[in-house]
Amino acid sequence: MQKAAADKSDPIAAQLAPVGRETVQDRVYLELRRALIGGLFEPSQVLTIRGLADALMTSTMPVREALGRLITEKALEALPNRSVRVPPITLERMDDLLRARILIEGEAIALAATRMTPRQIATIESMLGEWDEMRALKHKKDVDREVTLNQAFHFEIYRACGSAVLIPMIESLWLQSGPCIRVAIYAFSDAGEVDTAHYHRTIVKAIAAQDAKGARDALVADISRPFTFLRSKLESEAEKGQSA
Amino acid sequence: MQKAAADKSDPIAAQLAPVGRETVQDRVYLELRRALIGGLFEPSQVLTIRGLADALMTSTMPVREALGRLITEKALEALPNRSVRVPPITLERMDDLLRARILIEGEAIALAATRMTPRQIATIESMLGEWDEMRALKHKKDVDREVTLNQAFHFEIYRACGSAVLIPMIESLWLQSGPCIRVAIYAFSDAGEVDTAHYHRTIVKAIAAQDAKGARDALVADISRPFTFLRSKLESEAEKGQSA
DNA sequence: TCAATGCAAGTGTGATCACAAATCAAATAA
DNA sequence: TTATTTGATTTGTGATCACACTTGCATTGA
C-alpha cells in the first residue's frame, strides 16, 4: 500500500516530495502572476519572452506558455504585432472591473459570512493587528507588504465561501486590476494604510455577526476606494491632455 | 501611407490578410474550446498532447500551449500524473457552476436589457424562428445545432451588456459547464428543443419591454433547467451506486 | 495460480534550432 | 534638413530532440 512512496530512488527524498514536483512553467507562471497582482509591472509595459526568460534564469519555453496562460486570463494583452503587454488603464475598463468585482466578491463574502468558522474569523481578526504594527513603525510606506496583507485578508475570506468556481474568477479579477491598484496606492501617498485597516475592521465585525449584507456593503466600500481615487486622477489627466 | 500593404511579398495576398495572421496555436485553442463548449468530450476523458496533435494535423507545440491555457481556465484539469483530462461531473461542482452562472449571466442580461438597440432585439427575435424550423423537420435531434443556436442566442445578448470583463467570464463558465450540458441534453431525450424556444421567447419579450428583472428571471429559468435535470439524474445514479 | 520484477512503449517537459515578421538604425536621396 | 530605403538585430512561432517519469505488459519466481 506504500507503493507511492517506495520507489527505486531514495525513499526519504520521495517522502519529502510526495506529490508531483513543480514544473518550471508553473514557477514562472506564479512568479509573473505575483508580479502582476502586486503591480510590479507598469500598465502598457511590453514584455518579451526572451527578456523574461533571462530574468527568470530559464529558457523561452516555460515563459511563452506562462504568457499564453496569462493572456487568456486577460491579465496580459496580445498586440497584433504578436508582442504582449500589460493592458493599459482606461476609465471604462476600470469601471467595468470594479462592477465585476463588486458583483462577484460581494457574493463570495456574503456566502462566507454565513459559513466562516470561529477559527477562521479569529484568523482574519489577527490580521487586523498587523495593520497597527505597520502603522506603528511609520517609516516610508511598505507598499509590497500592504498589498500582500490586503490580499491575504481578502482571500482568507473568499476561500471560506466554499465555491471552487468563484475563487478563480476573483483571482482573475485581481490579476486584471493589479496594475491599476498599485498606481492608485502610490497616488494615495500616505493615509492609505490606516483607512484600509478601518474598512477591514468593519468587514470583520459584520462577518462575526454573520451579517451577510453588512459584510457585502463593507467590502464594496473597501474595494471601491482605490478605484474612485484612481478615477479622479485619470479624469484630471484626461482633461489636462485634452487642453494640451 | 500605404506602407502596411506594400511589402516585398505579394501585395494582393497581403491585402487579403491585412491583420495579424492567425497562429496555429490559436486555431488549436479555438478548436478545443469549441469542442468543449459543445460537449464533444466526455467528462473524465483524458487528452494526450501527441494524440491531439495528430488529430489536428500539427506538432505538439501548439497543442501543449492550448492545453495549458484551457487548464488555467479550469476547462481542463491537470492530474498529478501530469496528464490532463476533462473535469468529471460532481453534484457540488454543478451547483457551484449554476450559482455562478445565475449571478454573472443574470447581471449581464440585466445590463443588456436596458441597452439593447432595436436592431439587436430584432436579431435575437429572428433566432426564435430557427427553433420552429428545427421543430418542423422533427427527424432525429440535431444536438450540435441546438447547442450552437442556444449559444448564439445567449451571447448575442451578453455581447450587448457592454462589459469586456463579464463576457470572458461567461465564456469561461460555458467552457466549464459544456461537458455537463451535453450530458443533460442527451438525457433530455426529446421535448428539449421546444422548451428552449419557449424560454427564449420569454427572454426576448422581457428584453423588448426593457424589463431587466423579468429578463433575469427568465434567464435563470432557462439555464437552470438542464442543471436541475442533470442533478436528479446524478442523484439517482449516486444512490444506485451506494446500494450496489 | 498469483505476485513481483524488469523491460518497453508512451507521455510531458524543457532546450535548441530554423524561419518569418517586425523593429530599429544608419545611410542615401531629394 | 527631411523623408525614404536598406540592412541588421530582435522577436514570436513552430518543429524537433533529449530526458525523466509513468504506464502497461510480459517474463520470472515462489
Side-chain angles (χ1 to χ4, degrees):
Chain A
M1 210 36 152
Q2 55 193 4
K3 188 181 63 179
D7 228 322
K8 54 197 157 198
S9 61
D10 186 1
I12 298 178
Q15 283 210 4
L16 287 177
V19 292
R21 70 232 132 71
E22 63 178 8
T23 68
V24 180
Q25 172 186 161
D26 288 337
R27 181 178 68 83
V28 171
Y29 172 71
L30 292 175
E31 202 76 29
L32 292 178
R33 193 185 169 86
R34 203 173 51 77
L36 280 168
I37 291 185
L40 271 60
F41 293 136
E42 310 258 328
S44 299
Q45 177 180 352
V46 304
L47 306 177
T48 66
I49 293 181
R50 286 177 172 88
L52 290 174
D54 290 346
L56 294 168
M57 309 248 293
T58 179
S59 77
T60 64
M61 184 63 51
V63 175
R64 53 199 277 192
E65 308 206 355
L67 286 185
R69 291 165 72 177
L70 290 168
I71 288 171
T72 65
E73 301 184 272
K74 310 289 181 189
L76 295 176
E77 197 179 33
L79 274 63
N81 317 340
R82 309 243 173 149
S83 60
V84 348
R85 70 169 175 185
V86 181
I89 305 182
T90 69
L91 267 177
E92 299 75 29
R93 179 164 177 78
M94 268 191 40
D95 290 340
D96 203 358
L97 278 170
L98 178 59
R99 180 179 50 200
R101 289 189 55 180
I102 287 175
L103 177 70
I104 297 170
E105 296 182 39
E107 180 75 7
I109 202 174
L111 285 169
T114 64
R115 298 186 187 188
M116 281 185 84
T117 65
R119 173 134 185 73
Q120 290 171 319
I121 295 178
T123 300
I124 60 172
E125 244 168 1
S126 72
M127 288 180 174
L128 294 175
E130 298 197 36
W131 289 106
D132 298 330
E133 283 179 30
M134 238 166 78
R135 191 175 36 172
L137 34 93
K138 54 177 352 176
H139 51 63
K140 74 179 197 305
K141 283 165 63 72
D142 189 346
V143 179
D144 286 320
R145 195 175 165 201
E146 268 186 53
V147 169
T148 303
L149 182 52
N150 185 52
Q151 182 182 354
F153 176 81
H154 278 93
F155 278 92
E156 184 68 28
I157 297 172
Y158 300 145
R159 218 174 307 136
C161 81
S163 170
V165 171
L166 289 182
I167 294 172
M169 307 193 98
I170 297 174
E171 286 176 354
S172 170
L173 286 171
W174 279 59
L175 219 41
Q176 292 178 61
S177 45
C180 311
I181 298 298
R182 169 63 70 110
V183 172
I185 289 185
Y186 272 125
F188 255 119
S189 175
D190 37 21
E193 67 279 2
V194 34
D195 274 310
T196 303
H198 168 260
Y199 282 103
H200 284 195
R201 215 178 306 277
T202 312
I203 290 173
V204 170
K205 253 185 259 180
I207 289 179
Q210 300 208 353
D211 175 10
K213 182 177 185 320
R216 191 194 295 255
D217 291 342
L219 176 83
V220 168
D222 181 36
I223 66 182
S224 297
R225 216 162 16 101
F227 278 95
T228 56
F229 188 88
L230 187 53
R231 162 177 257 282
S232 65
K233 187 186 170 213
L234 284 180
E235 275 172 347
S236 67
E237 279 179 4
E239 73 181 24
K240 189 179 68 182
Q242 211 168 23
S243 68
Chain B
M1 213 35 154
Q2 55 192 5
K3 187 183 61 178
D7 229 321
K8 53 196 153 198
S9 61
D10 185 1
I12 299 179
Q15 283 210 4
L16 288 178
V19 290
R21 72 232 132 73
E22 61 178 10
T23 68
V24 180
Q25 172 187 160
D26 287 338
R27 181 178 68 83
V28 171
Y29 172 72
L30 292 175
E31 202 77 29
L32 293 178
R33 193 185 169 86
R34 204 173 50 77
L36 280 167
I37 291 184
L40 271 60
F41 293 136
E42 310 258 329
S44 299
Q45 178 179 353
V46 305
L47 305 176
T48 66
I49 292 181
R50 286 176 173 91
L52 290 173
D54 290 346
L56 293 168
M57 308 250 293
T58 179
S59 76
T60 64
M61 184 64 50
V63 175
R64 52 199 277 194
E65 308 205 356
L67 287 185
R69 290 165 71 177
L70 290 168
I71 288 172
T72 65
E73 301 185 272
K74 309 290 179 189
L76 294 177
E77 194 179 35
L79 275 61
N81 315 341
R82 308 240 175 153
S83 60
V84 350
R85 69 170 177 186
V86 181
I89 305 182
T90 68
L91 267 177
E92 299 74 30
R93 180 164 176 79
M94 269 191 39
D95 290 341
D96 204 358
L97 278 170
L98 178 59
R99 180 180 50 201
R101 289 190 54 182
I102 288 175
L103 177 70
I104 297 169
E105 297 182 37
E107 180 76 6
I109 203 175
L111 286 169
T114 64
R115 298 186 188 188
M116 281 184 84
T117 65
R119 173 134 187 72
Q120 290 171 319
I121 295 177
T123 301
I124 60 173
E125 245 167 359
S126 71
M127 287 180 175
L128 294 175
E130 297 197 37
W131 289 106
D132 298 331
E133 283 178 30
M134 238 165 77
R135 193 175 36 171
L137 34 94
K138 56 176 351 177
H139 51 63
K140 74 179 197 306
K141 284 167 63 72
D142 190 346
V143 179
D144 285 320
R145 194 175 164 202
E146 268 186 53
V147 169
T148 304
L149 181 52
N150 185 54
Q151 183 184 355
F153 176 81
H154 277 92
F155 278 92
E156 184 68 29
I157 296 172
Y158 300 144
R159 217 175 308 135
C161 81
S163 169
V165 171
L166 289 183
I167 293 173
M169 308 194 98
I170 296 174
E171 287 175 354
S172 170
L173 287 172
W174 279 59
L175 218 41
Q176 292 177 62
S177 45
C180 310
I181 298 297
R182 168 64 68 107
V183 171
I185 289 185
Y186 272 126
F188 254 119
S189 173
D190 37 22
E193 67 280 1
V194 34
D195 273 311
T196 303
H198 168 260
Y199 282 103
H200 284 196
R201 214 177 306 276
T202 312
I203 291 173
V204 170
K205 251 185 262 179
I207 290 179
Q210 298 208 354
D211 175 10
K213 182 177 185 321
R216 192 194 294 256
D217 292 342
L219 175 83
V220 169
D222 181 36
I223 66 181
S224 296
R225 215 161 17 100
F227 277 94
T228 57
F229 188 87
L230 187 52
R231 161 177 260 281
S232 64
K233 186 186 171 216
L234 283 181
E235 276 172 346
S236 66
E237 276 179 7
E239 73 182 22
K240 189 179 66 184
Q242 212 167 25
S243 67

